[in-house]
Amino acid sequence: TARNIAVADANDLSVVSLNNGGAGAIALTARNSLTLPASGLTSTDNLTLRADSGTLTLGGNLVGNAVSLFSANALTLATSIDSSTLVVSTNNGAINQTAGALRIGSTSSFNAGTGALTLGTLNTGNLTATSNGGLNLGSGRVAGTLAASSGNGAIGQAGGLIVDAATTLNAGSGAIALTDGSNDFRSSVSLTGT
């Protein structure tokens, strides 16, 4: 039986442990900052995690069906995320994947607003990445379409990218540098940059 857990806090919310038997939706919302347990969160259902006016801090790996992360401030992804879909956004704060892997079965969407966006190791279906600063696509596999827009920031990568479907990159007046020799763009590529 699913055990849904929903908690909202008018200030900071620091969760040191959470056990719902691995099933049921988990929705945690802090008006300010939200800190998750070092043990991570696992559910066969959806994870919705929000720090509406502060910082979202991920303690451990996240496993869920649809995972949605929002941080008003900059967001560091230093753990692995396994899900069917992933939506990550900030209120103009940078998004920086420093460790862990993103293993997403269907679609991934990242929006850093006016902040920079740096991805790490990817294994996802369709990927949409939006920033108004530098955008690093990381490395790995996109088993669908790749759409990236950097609002005049440079678009780069950390390692080889394999993209199975159409790739659309828009750096505006910024540069695009995807020069890793192991890149494999298997469908059409559209590029806008300087």
Side-chain angles (χ1 to χ4, degrees), residues 13-61:
L13 176 61
S14 180
V15 180
V16 294
S17 69
L18 188 151
N19 183 354
N20 71 338
I26 299 172
L28 304 174
T29 303
R31 185 171 293 162
N32 195 23
S33 292
L34 172 61
T35 302
L36 300 176
S39 59
L41 298 175
T42 298
S43 179
T44 57
D45 210 323
N46 300 337
L47 304 179
T48 304
L49 310 169
R50 295 185 57 88
D52 287 342
S53 297
T55 301
L56 173 61
T57 303
L58 306 179
N61 295 339

Side-chain angles (χ1 to χ4, degrees), residues 74-78 94-99 116-120:
L75 175 60
T76 299
L77 302 175
I95 298 173
N96 189 15
Q97 184 186 358
T98 59
L117 174 57
T118 302
L119 299 176

